[in-house]
Protein backbone atom coordinates (compact mmCIF):
# COMPACT_ATOMS: atom_id res chain seq x y z
CA UNK A 1 0.00 0.00 0.00
CA UNK A 2 2.80 2.41 0.91
CA UNK A 3 4.61 1.69 -2.35
CA UNK A 4 1.47 2.52 -4.37
CA UNK A 5 1.00 5.70 -2.34
CA UNK A 6 4.61 6.68 -2.95
CA UNK A 7 4.20 6.16 -6.71
CA UNK A 8 1.06 8.33 -6.74
CA UNK A 9 2.83 11.05 -4.77
CA UNK A 10 5.82 10.92 -7.11
CA UNK A 11 3.54 11.33 -10.13
CA UNK A 12 1.49 14.11 -8.53
CA UNK A 13 4.56 16.05 -7.42
CA UNK A 14 6.39 15.76 -10.77
CA UNK A 15 4.87 18.45 -13.01
CA UNK A 16 6.25 17.05 -16.26
CA UNK A 17 4.65 13.63 -15.75
CA UNK A 18 1.44 14.98 -14.23
CA UNK A 19 0.75 17.48 -17.01
CA UNK A 20 1.79 14.99 -19.72
CA UNK A 21 -0.78 12.53 -18.33
CA UNK A 22 -3.37 15.32 -18.29
CA UNK A 23 -2.58 16.04 -21.94
CA UNK A 24 -2.89 12.34 -22.82
CA UNK A 25 -6.20 12.12 -20.94
CA UNK A 26 -7.55 15.24 -22.66
CA UNK A 27 -6.59 14.06 -26.14
CA UNK A 28 -7.92 10.59 -25.39
CA UNK A 29 -11.28 11.98 -24.30
CA UNK A 30 -11.45 13.79 -27.64
CA UNK A 31 -10.84 10.42 -29.36
CA UNK A 32 -7.82 11.78 -31.18
CA UNK A 33 -5.69 9.33 -33.21
CA UNK A 34 -3.12 7.47 -31.14
CA UNK A 35 -0.33 9.30 -32.98
CA UNK A 36 -1.74 12.67 -31.83
CA UNK A 37 -2.14 11.41 -28.27
CA UNK A 38 1.45 10.19 -28.12
CA UNK A 39 2.80 13.34 -29.76
CA UNK A 40 0.85 15.64 -27.45
CA UNK A 41 1.86 13.74 -24.33
CA UNK A 42 5.55 13.60 -25.24
CA UNK A 43 5.79 17.26 -26.31
CA UNK A 44 4.04 18.39 -23.13
CA UNK A 45 6.37 16.19 -21.07
CA UNK A 46 9.45 17.55 -22.82
CA UNK A 47 8.16 21.12 -22.62
CA UNK A 48 7.89 20.92 -18.84
CA UNK A 49 11.33 19.37 -18.61
CA UNK A 50 12.68 22.27 -20.68
CA UNK A 51 11.06 24.78 -18.30
CA UNK A 52 12.38 22.83 -15.31
CA UNK A 53 15.86 22.78 -16.82
CA UNK A 54 15.73 26.53 -17.41
CA UNK A 55 14.54 27.11 -13.83
CA UNK A 56 17.39 24.93 -12.59
CA UNK A 57 19.92 26.97 -14.56
CA UNK A 58 18.53 30.19 -13.08
CA UNK A 59 18.51 28.82 -9.54
CA UNK A 60 22.06 27.57 -10.04
CA UNK A 61 23.22 31.05 -11.04
CA UNK A 62 21.26 32.77 -8.26
CA UNK A 63 22.60 30.55 -5.46
CA UNK A 64 26.17 31.98 -5.58
CA UNK A 65 24.70 35.46 -6.04
CA UNK A 66 22.85 35.03 -2.74
CA UNK A 67 26.04 33.87 -1.00
CA UNK A 68 28.02 36.77 -2.43
CA UNK A 69 25.33 39.22 -1.32
CA UNK A 70 25.22 37.91 2.25
CA UNK A 71 29.03 37.91 2.54
CA UNK A 72 29.47 41.31 0.88
CA UNK A 73 27.06 43.06 3.23
CA UNK A 74 27.52 40.79 6.29
CA UNK A 75 23.83 39.89 6.54
CA UNK A 76 22.52 37.29 9.00
CA UNK A 77 18.89 36.26 9.40
CA UNK A 78 16.10 34.02 8.13
CA UNK A 79 16.26 33.18 4.42
CA UNK A 80 12.84 32.37 2.90
CA UNK A 81 13.23 29.24 0.79
CA UNK A 82 10.35 26.89 0.05
CA UNK A 83 12.55 23.89 -0.72
CA UNK A 84 14.56 24.25 2.48
CA UNK A 85 11.59 24.53 4.84
CA UNK A 86 9.74 21.69 3.09
CA UNK A 87 12.79 19.45 3.39
CA UNK A 88 12.76 20.06 7.14
CA UNK A 89 9.02 19.55 7.48
CA UNK A 90 8.77 16.34 5.45
CA UNK A 91 10.97 14.45 7.92
CA UNK A 92 8.19 14.77 10.53
CA UNK A 93 5.03 15.45 8.53
CA UNK A 94 5.70 13.48 5.33
CA UNK A 95 2.73 11.09 5.57
CA UNK A 96 0.21 13.82 6.36
CA UNK A 97 1.67 15.94 3.56
CA UNK A 98 1.24 13.12 1.03
CA UNK A 99 -2.34 12.36 2.04
CA UNK A 100 -3.36 16.02 2.16
CA UNK A 101 -1.86 16.53 -1.28
CA UNK A 102 -3.87 13.70 -2.84
CA UNK A 103 -7.04 14.75 -1.03
CA UNK A 104 -6.46 18.36 -2.07
CA UNK A 105 -6.15 17.48 -5.76
CA UNK A 106 -9.40 15.51 -5.56
CA UNK A 107 -11.18 18.38 -3.79
CA UNK A 108 -9.83 20.83 -6.38
CA UNK A 109 -11.47 18.83 -9.17
CA UNK A 110 -14.70 18.49 -7.16
CA UNK A 111 -14.86 22.23 -6.40
CA UNK A 112 -14.20 23.04 -10.07
CA UNK A 113 -17.02 20.68 -11.00
CA UNK A 114 -19.68 22.09 -8.64
CA UNK A 115 -18.79 25.80 -8.66
CA UNK A 116 -18.19 28.45 -11.30
CA UNK A 117 -14.49 28.51 -10.39
CA UNK A 118 -13.20 26.07 -13.03
CA UNK A 119 -9.47 26.12 -12.33
CA UNK A 120 -7.56 22.81 -12.27
CA UNK A 121 -4.24 23.38 -10.48
CA UNK A 122 -1.48 21.53 -12.34
CA UNK A 123 1.69 22.80 -10.65
CA UNK A 124 2.59 19.66 -8.73
CA UNK A 125 5.52 20.91 -6.65
CA UNK A 126 3.58 24.00 -5.54
CA UNK A 127 0.72 21.74 -4.47
CA UNK A 128 3.17 19.59 -2.50
CA UNK A 129 4.67 22.61 -0.73
CA UNK A 130 1.26 24.05 0.18
CA UNK A 131 0.15 20.61 1.42
CA UNK A 132 3.26 20.48 3.58
CA UNK A 133 2.57 23.85 5.17
CA UNK A 134 -1.06 22.92 5.82
CA UNK A 135 0.03 19.61 7.37
CA UNK A 136 2.31 21.45 9.79
CA UNK A 137 -0.36 23.95 10.85
CA UNK A 138 -3.09 21.31 11.15
CA UNK A 139 -0.81 19.12 13.25
CA UNK A 140 -0.31 21.99 15.70
CA UNK A 141 -4.08 21.82 16.42
CA UNK A 142 -3.66 18.18 17.62
CA UNK A 143 -6.44 17.07 15.27
CA UNK A 144 -6.69 13.31 14.76
CA UNK A 145 -5.53 11.73 11.51
CA UNK A 146 -8.72 11.33 9.44
CA UNK A 147 -10.22 14.80 10.02
CA UNK A 148 -6.74 16.31 9.68
CA UNK A 149 -6.35 14.84 6.19
CA UNK A 150 -9.92 15.64 5.11
CA UNK A 151 -10.00 19.21 6.43
CA UNK A 152 -6.42 19.84 5.31
CA UNK A 153 -7.19 18.41 1.87
CA UNK A 154 -10.29 20.60 1.56
CA UNK A 155 -8.24 23.64 2.60
CA UNK A 156 -5.68 22.78 -0.09
CA UNK A 157 -8.37 22.24 -2.72
CA UNK A 158 -9.90 25.61 -1.87
CA UNK A 159 -6.51 27.36 -2.04
CA UNK A 160 -5.79 25.76 -5.42
CA UNK A 161 -9.13 27.03 -6.68
CA UNK A 162 -9.27 30.50 -5.13
CA UNK A 163 -5.76 31.78 -5.85
CA UNK A 164 -5.92 31.19 -9.63
CA UNK A 165 -9.36 32.84 -9.58
CA UNK A 166 -7.97 35.92 -7.81
CA UNK A 167 -5.29 36.39 -10.45
CA UNK A 168 -7.38 35.41 -13.49
CA UNK A 169 -8.76 38.88 -14.38
CA UNK A 170 -5.17 40.08 -14.75
CA UNK A 171 -3.95 36.84 -16.36
CA UNK A 172 -6.57 37.35 -19.07
CA UNK A 173 -5.22 40.85 -19.72
CA UNK A 174 -1.75 39.37 -20.19
CA UNK A 175 -2.67 36.40 -22.40
CA UNK A 176 -5.59 38.13 -24.17
CA UNK A 177 -7.81 35.05 -23.65
CA UNK A 178 -9.30 32.82 -20.96
CA UNK A 179 -7.70 29.53 -21.99
CA UNK A 180 -5.03 29.32 -19.28
CA UNK A 181 -4.68 30.40 -15.64
CA UNK A 182 -1.79 30.86 -13.25
CA UNK A 183 -1.16 28.05 -10.78
CA UNK A 184 1.61 29.30 -8.50
CA UNK A 185 1.96 30.17 -4.84
CA UNK A 186 2.41 33.90 -5.47
CA UNK A 187 -0.98 34.58 -7.06
CA UNK A 188 -2.16 36.93 -4.30
CA UNK A 189 0.95 39.07 -4.80
CA UNK A 190 0.59 39.01 -8.59
CA UNK A 191 -3.04 40.10 -8.40
CA UNK A 192 -2.06 42.87 -5.98
CA UNK A 193 0.65 44.04 -8.39
CA UNK A 194 -1.90 44.09 -11.21
CA UNK A 195 -4.34 46.01 -9.02
CA UNK A 196 -1.67 48.55 -8.04
CA UNK A 197 -0.56 48.96 -11.64
CA UNK A 198 -4.11 49.79 -12.63
CA UNK A 199 -4.13 52.86 -10.40
CA UNK A 200 -0.55 54.12 -10.48
CA UNK A 201 0.54 53.40 -14.04
CA UNK A 202 -0.31 53.78 -17.69
CA UNK A 203 -0.71 50.51 -19.56
CA UNK A 204 -0.16 52.30 -22.88
CA UNK A 205 3.50 52.73 -21.88
CA UNK A 206 4.44 49.06 -21.79
CA UNK A 207 7.82 47.74 -20.71
CA UNK A 208 7.96 46.06 -24.12
CA UNK A 209 7.72 49.41 -25.90
CA UNK A 210 10.69 51.05 -24.19
CA UNK A 211 12.37 53.25 -26.77
CA UNK A 212 16.13 52.81 -26.97
CA UNK A 213 18.39 55.21 -28.87
CA UNK A 214 19.19 53.95 -32.35
CA UNK A 215 22.70 52.95 -31.32
CA UNK A 216 21.28 50.88 -28.45
CA UNK A 217 18.48 49.21 -30.41
CA UNK A 218 20.12 45.83 -29.78
CA UNK A 219 18.86 46.13 -26.17
CA UNK A 220 15.36 45.35 -27.42
CA UNK A 221 16.52 41.74 -27.62
CA UNK A 222 15.56 40.41 -24.19
CA UNK A 223 18.47 37.96 -24.07
CA UNK A 224 20.95 40.78 -24.67
CA UNK A 225 19.35 43.20 -22.21
CA UNK A 226 19.04 40.55 -19.47
CA UNK A 227 22.67 39.47 -19.93
CA UNK A 228 24.01 43.04 -19.78
CA UNK A 229 21.81 44.08 -16.84
CA UNK A 230 22.57 41.00 -14.77
CA UNK A 231 26.24 41.27 -15.70
CA UNK A 232 26.33 44.73 -14.12
CA UNK A 233 24.42 43.56 -11.02
CA UNK A 234 26.58 40.45 -10.51
CA UNK A 235 29.80 42.42 -11.02
CA UNK A 236 28.85 45.07 -8.45
CA UNK A 237 28.04 42.42 -5.82
CA UNK A 238 31.23 40.50 -6.71
CA UNK A 239 33.33 43.64 -6.18
CA UNK A 240 31.89 44.04 -2.69
CA UNK A 241 32.28 40.32 -1.90
CA UNK A 242 35.93 40.31 -3.01
CA UNK A 243 38.10 38.00 -5.07
CA UNK A 244 39.35 35.97 -2.09
CA UNK A 245 35.89 34.89 -0.91
CA UNK A 246 34.60 34.09 -4.39
CA UNK A 247 37.66 32.23 -5.66
CA UNK A 248 37.98 30.18 -2.47
CA UNK A 249 34.29 29.39 -1.89
CA UNK A 250 32.44 29.65 -5.19
CA UNK A 251 34.50 29.81 -8.38
CA UNK A 252 37.15 27.13 -7.83
CA UNK A 253 39.89 29.67 -8.41
CA UNK A 254 38.36 31.49 -11.39
CA UNK A 255 38.77 35.27 -11.28
CA UNK A 256 35.80 36.80 -9.46
CA UNK A 257 34.80 39.19 -12.25
CA UNK A 258 34.96 36.44 -14.88
CA UNK A 259 32.91 34.21 -12.59
CA UNK A 260 30.32 36.95 -12.04
CA UNK A 261 29.93 37.52 -15.79
CA UNK A 262 29.63 33.77 -16.37
CA UNK A 263 26.84 33.48 -13.80
CA UNK A 264 25.04 36.46 -15.37
CA UNK A 265 25.22 34.70 -18.73
CA UNK A 266 23.88 31.49 -17.17
CA UNK A 267 20.97 33.47 -15.73
CA UNK A 268 20.09 34.84 -19.17
CA UNK A 269 20.45 31.36 -20.68
CA UNK A 270 18.01 30.00 -18.11
CA UNK A 271 15.44 32.65 -19.00
CA UNK A 272 15.87 31.84 -22.71
CA UNK A 273 15.31 28.13 -22.06
CA UNK A 274 12.21 28.80 -19.93
CA UNK A 275 10.63 30.93 -22.66
CA UNK A 276 11.20 28.16 -25.22
CA UNK A 277 9.68 25.53 -22.92
CA UNK A 278 6.63 27.65 -22.14
CA UNK A 279 5.82 28.08 -25.82
CA UNK A 280 6.03 24.32 -26.32
CA UNK A 281 3.72 23.60 -23.37
CA UNK A 282 1.07 26.13 -24.38
CA UNK A 283 0.97 24.76 -27.90
CA UNK A 284 0.01 21.33 -26.53
CA UNK A 285 -1.74 21.60 -23.17
CA UNK A 286 -4.42 24.13 -24.08
CA UNK A 287 -5.87 22.10 -27.00
CA UNK A 288 -5.50 18.87 -25.00
CA UNK A 289 -7.37 20.35 -22.06
CA UNK A 290 -10.44 20.73 -24.24
CA UNK A 291 -11.20 17.04 -23.72
CA UNK A 292 -11.20 17.37 -19.94
CA UNK A 293 -13.24 20.54 -20.20
CA UNK A 294 -15.89 18.80 -22.30
CA UNK A 295 -16.06 15.48 -20.43
CA UNK A 296 -15.02 15.81 -16.78
CA UNK A 297 -15.17 19.46 -15.68
CA UNK A 298 -17.07 21.57 -18.21
CA UNK A 299 -15.30 24.83 -19.12
CA UNK A 300 -12.28 23.95 -16.95
CA UNK A 301 -9.09 25.99 -17.26
CA UNK A 302 -5.58 24.63 -16.59
CA UNK A 303 -3.64 26.59 -13.95
CA UNK A 304 0.08 26.40 -14.79
CA UNK A 305 3.36 27.56 -13.23
CA UNK A 306 4.37 31.25 -13.21
CA UNK A 307 6.86 31.15 -16.14
CA UNK A 308 3.81 30.65 -18.36
CA UNK A 309 3.45 34.46 -18.52
CA UNK A 310 7.12 35.30 -19.10
CA UNK A 311 6.98 35.27 -22.93
CA UNK A 312 4.29 37.97 -22.90
CA UNK A 313 6.60 40.63 -21.40
CA UNK A 314 10.29 39.64 -21.16
CA UNK A 315 11.37 43.18 -20.23
CA UNK A 316 8.86 43.22 -17.37
CA UNK A 317 10.38 39.94 -16.13
CA UNK A 318 13.75 41.63 -15.59
CA UNK A 319 12.28 44.86 -14.23
CA UNK A 320 10.02 42.94 -11.86
CA UNK A 321 12.87 40.85 -10.46
CA UNK A 322 15.16 43.82 -9.83
CA UNK A 323 12.52 46.08 -8.25
CA UNK A 324 11.15 43.24 -6.09
CA UNK A 325 14.69 42.57 -4.87
CA UNK A 326 15.13 46.27 -4.09
CA UNK A 327 11.89 46.06 -2.09
CA UNK A 328 13.41 43.17 -0.16
CA UNK A 329 16.57 45.18 0.58
CA UNK A 330 14.57 48.22 1.76
CA UNK A 331 12.52 45.91 3.99
CA UNK A 332 15.73 44.41 5.37
CA UNK A 333 16.95 47.81 6.57
CA UNK A 334 13.54 48.56 8.10
CA UNK A 335 13.68 45.26 10.02
CA UNK A 336 17.18 46.00 11.29
CA UNK A 337 16.11 49.50 12.38
CA UNK A 338 12.96 48.28 14.16
CA UNK A 339 14.54 45.23 15.79
CA UNK A 340 12.23 42.62 14.28
CA UNK A 341 13.22 39.21 12.92
CA UNK A 342 15.47 39.91 9.91
CA UNK A 343 14.37 38.35 6.61
CA UNK A 344 17.28 38.12 4.15
CA UNK A 345 16.04 38.73 0.58
CA UNK A 346 15.71 35.32 -1.05
CA UNK A 347 17.00 35.76 -4.59
CA UNK A 348 15.02 32.82 -6.03
CA UNK A 349 11.57 33.94 -4.77
CA UNK A 350 12.32 37.54 -5.71
CA UNK A 351 13.13 36.38 -9.23
CA UNK A 352 10.25 34.00 -9.96
CA UNK A 353 7.61 35.89 -7.96
CA UNK A 354 8.98 39.38 -8.54
CA UNK A 355 9.34 38.78 -12.27
CA UNK A 356 5.75 37.53 -12.48
CA UNK A 357 4.54 40.51 -10.43
CA UNK A 358 6.31 42.71 -12.97
CA UNK A 359 4.41 41.11 -15.85
CA UNK A 360 1.11 41.63 -14.01
CA UNK A 361 1.91 45.23 -13.08
CA UNK A 362 2.92 45.95 -16.67
CA UNK A 363 -0.35 44.50 -18.02
CA UNK A 364 -2.39 47.10 -16.13
CA UNK A 365 0.05 49.96 -15.63
CA UNK A 366 2.93 49.69 -18.06
CA UNK A 367 6.46 50.50 -16.91
CA UNK A 368 5.34 52.37 -13.80
CA UNK A 369 2.91 49.59 -12.87
CA UNK A 370 5.65 46.99 -13.23
CA UNK A 371 8.07 48.97 -11.05
CA UNK A 372 5.65 49.98 -8.28
CA UNK A 373 3.74 46.69 -8.24
CA UNK A 374 6.91 44.60 -8.04
CA UNK A 375 8.49 46.83 -5.40
CA UNK A 376 5.46 46.53 -3.12
CA UNK A 377 5.40 42.79 -3.84
CA UNK A 378 9.03 42.61 -2.67
CA UNK A 379 8.10 44.36 0.57
CA UNK A 380 5.16 42.03 1.17
CA UNK A 381 7.12 38.78 0.69
CA UNK A 382 9.69 40.19 3.11
CA UNK A 383 7.30 41.01 5.97
CA UNK A 384 4.67 38.31 5.48
CA UNK A 385 7.04 35.48 6.56
CA UNK A 386 7.45 37.23 9.93
CA UNK A 387 3.69 36.87 10.49
CA UNK A 388 3.69 33.28 9.23
CA UNK A 389 6.51 31.91 11.38
CA UNK A 390 4.63 31.97 14.73
CA UNK A 391 1.84 29.71 13.41
CA UNK A 392 4.29 27.07 12.21
CA UNK A 393 4.91 25.54 15.64
CA UNK A 394 8.40 24.12 16.17
CA UNK A 395 9.24 24.78 12.51
CA UNK A 396 8.52 28.49 12.84
CA UNK A 397 12.09 29.57 13.55
CA UNK A 398 14.45 27.17 11.77
CA UNK A 399 16.48 29.66 9.77
CA UNK A 400 14.14 29.38 6.79
CA UNK A 401 10.45 29.75 6.04
CA UNK A 402 7.92 29.84 3.19
CA UNK A 403 8.38 32.82 0.93
CA UNK A 404 5.52 33.35 -1.53
CA UNK A 405 2.37 35.35 -0.74
CA UNK A 406 -0.14 32.50 -1.01
CA UNK A 407 1.65 30.58 1.75
CA UNK A 408 1.34 33.66 3.93
CA UNK A 409 -2.35 34.26 3.21
CA UNK A 410 -3.41 30.61 3.63
CA UNK A 411 -1.04 29.91 6.52
CA UNK A 412 -1.91 33.00 8.54
CA UNK A 413 -5.65 32.37 7.95
CA UNK A 414 -5.49 28.76 9.17
CA UNK A 415 -3.03 29.58 11.95
CA UNK A 416 -5.12 32.40 13.38
CA UNK A 417 -8.21 30.19 13.31
CA UNK A 418 -6.28 27.51 15.20
CA UNK A 419 -5.00 30.05 17.75
CA UNK A 420 -8.38 31.59 18.45
CA UNK A 421 -10.74 28.60 18.37
CA UNK A 422 -8.68 25.44 17.94
CA UNK A 423 -9.90 22.52 15.84
CA UNK A 424 -13.53 23.65 15.67
CA UNK A 425 -12.61 27.11 14.38
CA UNK A 426 -10.43 25.59 11.66
CA UNK A 427 -13.19 23.24 10.50
CA UNK A 428 -15.83 25.98 10.56
CA UNK A 429 -13.53 28.43 8.77
CA UNK A 430 -12.66 26.02 5.96
CA UNK A 431 -16.30 25.00 5.48
CA UNK A 432 -17.33 28.67 5.49
CA UNK A 433 -14.96 29.37 2.60
CA UNK A 434 -16.41 26.42 0.67
CA UNK A 435 -19.93 27.69 1.38
CA UNK A 436 -18.90 31.12 0.09
CA UNK A 437 -17.73 29.67 -3.24
CA UNK A 438 -20.94 27.68 -3.60
CA UNK A 439 -22.98 30.77 -2.68
CA UNK A 440 -21.17 32.89 -5.26
CA UNK A 441 -21.89 30.19 -7.84
CA UNK A 442 -25.61 29.98 -6.99
CA UNK A 443 -26.35 33.66 -6.54
CA UNK A 444 -23.68 35.22 -8.74
CA UNK A 445 -24.63 36.71 -12.06
CA UNK A 446 -24.25 34.19 -14.83
CA UNK A 447 -21.99 35.41 -17.60
CA UNK A 448 -22.09 34.06 -21.14
CA UNK A 449 -19.40 31.48 -21.75
CA UNK A 450 -16.41 33.08 -23.41
CA UNK A 451 -14.86 31.50 -26.43
CA UNK A 452 -11.48 30.11 -25.52
CA UNK A 453 -8.62 30.75 -27.83
CA UNK A 454 -5.26 29.04 -27.94
CA UNK A 455 -2.59 31.08 -26.20
Amino acid sequence: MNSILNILIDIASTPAILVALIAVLGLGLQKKPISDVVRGGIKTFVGFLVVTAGAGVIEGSLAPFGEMFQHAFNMQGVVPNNEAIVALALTKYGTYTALIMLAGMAFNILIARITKFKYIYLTGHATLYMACMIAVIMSVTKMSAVPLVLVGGLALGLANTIFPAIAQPFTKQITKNDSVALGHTGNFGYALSGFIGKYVGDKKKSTEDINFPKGLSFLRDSTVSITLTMGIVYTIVALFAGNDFISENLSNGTNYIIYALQQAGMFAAGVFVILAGVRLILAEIVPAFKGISEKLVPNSIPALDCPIVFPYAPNAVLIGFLTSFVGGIVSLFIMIATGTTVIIPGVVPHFFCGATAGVFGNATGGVRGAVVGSFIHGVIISFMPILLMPVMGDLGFQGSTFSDTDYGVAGIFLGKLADTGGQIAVVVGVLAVLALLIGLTIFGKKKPTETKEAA
Side-chain angles (χ1 to χ4, degrees):
M1 182 63 184
N2 284 337
S3 61
I4 296 175
L5 177 61
N6 289 336
I7 292 173
L8 292 175
I9 295 302
D10 286 343
I11 292 173
S13 59
T14 305
I17 295 177
L18 176 64
V19 180
L21 290 176
I22 294 292
V24 168
L25 176 61
L27 293 168
L29 289 173
Q30 295 178 69
K31 298 181 179 179
K32 294 287 187 180
I34 187 66
S35 59
D36 288 352
V37 174
V38 172
R39 179 186 60 80
I42 290 177
K43 291 186 75 173
T44 303
F45 176 66
V46 171
F48 258 90
L49 289 179
V50 170
V51 172
T52 303
V57 171
I58 288 175
E59 290 181 11
S61 70
L62 289 177
F65 179 82
E67 292 186 45
M68 287 191 290
F69 181 85
Q70 290 187 50
H71 176 79
F73 303 105
N74 193 27
M75 298 294 181
Q76 298 294 326
V78 176
V79 181
N81 184 285
N82 301 329
E83 288 75 18
I85 191 67
V86 167
L88 287 171
L90 286 179
T91 59
K92 186 176 181 180
Y93 303 99
T95 300
Y96 283 151
T97 296
L99 295 173
I100 287 174
M101 180 179 180
L102 291 178
M105 295 178 74
F107 276 120
N108 177 213
I109 294 171
L110 178 62
I111 294 167
R113 174 78 188 190
I114 66 175
T115 73
K116 66 178 182 178
F117 303 98
K118 303 297 183 181
Y119 307 101
I120 306 297
Y121 205 96
L122 296 179
T123 310
H125 67 282
T127 301
L128 173 67
Y129 296 170
M130 183 68 80
C132 184
M133 185 195 71
I134 291 173
V136 173
I137 295 174
M138 298 294 288
S139 297
V140 172
T141 68
K142 307 299 183 183
M143 191 177 290
S144 58
V146 174
L148 187 152
V149 171
L150 290 177
V151 177
L154 179 56
L156 177 60
L158 288 167
N160 284 359
T161 304
I162 292 171
F163 287 120
I166 290 174
Q168 190 61 11
F170 304 104
T171 307
K172 286 169 62 177
Q173 286 187 252
I174 294 168
T175 63
K176 308 302 183 186
N177 59 68
D178 200 23
S179 63
V180 68
L182 200 65
H184 191 247
T185 45
N187 283 29
F188 177 82
Y190 310 149
L192 181 61
S193 180
F195 180 80
I196 291 169
K198 182 178 180 180
Y199 291 98
V200 305
D202 180 0
K203 68 178 181 179
K204 294 180 180 179
K205 298 180 179 179
S206 171
T207 57
E208 309 314 297
D209 297 329
I210 295 175
N211 292 318
F212 295 99
K214 188 174 182 180
L216 298 177
S217 60
F218 63 91
L219 292 175
R220 291 192 58 82
D221 186 312
S222 62
T223 301
V224 174
S225 60
I226 289 172
T227 303
L228 290 175
T229 303
M230 295 309 297
I232 294 171
V233 172
Y234 272 74
T235 300
I236 291 173
V237 175
L239 288 170
F240 278 97
N243 185 41
D244 291 343
F245 172 79
I246 294 174
S247 61
E248 292 175 9
N249 297 280
L250 300 174
S251 70
N252 292 321
T254 301
N255 177 272
Y256 67 132
I257 300 299
I258 300 299
Y259 179 76
L261 294 175
Q262 181 185 30
Q263 296 306 312
M266 291 294 289
F267 179 95
V271 173
F272 182 88
V273 172
I274 283 177
L275 298 181
V278 165
R279 294 186 183 99
L280 185 59
I281 294 168
L282 287 178
E284 300 298 329
I285 192 63
V286 173
F289 217 77
K290 182 181 177 183
I292 294 174
S293 177
E294 292 174 345
K295 302 292 184 180
L296 300 181
V297 183
N299 301 315
S300 58
I301 301 173
L304 303 172
D305 205 350
C306 63
I308 216 75
V309 300
F310 288 4
Y312 295 95
N315 290 343
V317 168
L318 182 59
I319 291 171
F321 163 49
L322 294 175
T323 51
S324 178
F325 191 68
V326 170
I329 294 173
V330 171
S331 301
L332 172 69
F333 287 118
I334 293 173
M335 292 170 195
I336 293 172
T338 56
T340 67
T341 300
V342 174
I343 303 295
I344 303 295
V347 185
V348 172
H350 277 291
F351 171 68
F352 286 103
C353 297
T356 310
V359 176
F360 274 69
N362 175 66
T364 57
V367 176
R368 192 159 62 242
V371 170
V372 177
S374 298
F375 177 84
I376 293 176
H377 167 274
V379 173
I380 290 173
I381 67 169
S382 299
F383 282 97
M384 191 173 276
I386 297 177
L387 302 176
L388 177 62
M389 289 192 296
V391 306
M392 295 289 291
D394 294 337
L395 282 172
F397 299 91
Q398 294 288 330
S400 186
T401 186
F402 291 97
S403 57
D404 309 348
T405 56
D406 295 359
Y407 295 119
V409 173
I412 293 169
F413 174 72
L414 290 174
K416 292 302 180 183
L417 287 176
D419 286 344
T420 55
Q423 300 176 12
I424 294 176
V426 172
V427 173
V428 171
V430 171
L431 291 177
V433 174
L434 176 62
L436 176 62
L437 295 190
I438 295 174
L440 290 172
T441 300
I442 295 173
F443 300 108
K445 294 181 180 180
K446 294 185 177 179
K447 296 181 179 180
T449 302
E450 295 182 345
T451 302
K452 296 182 182 180
E453 303 170 0

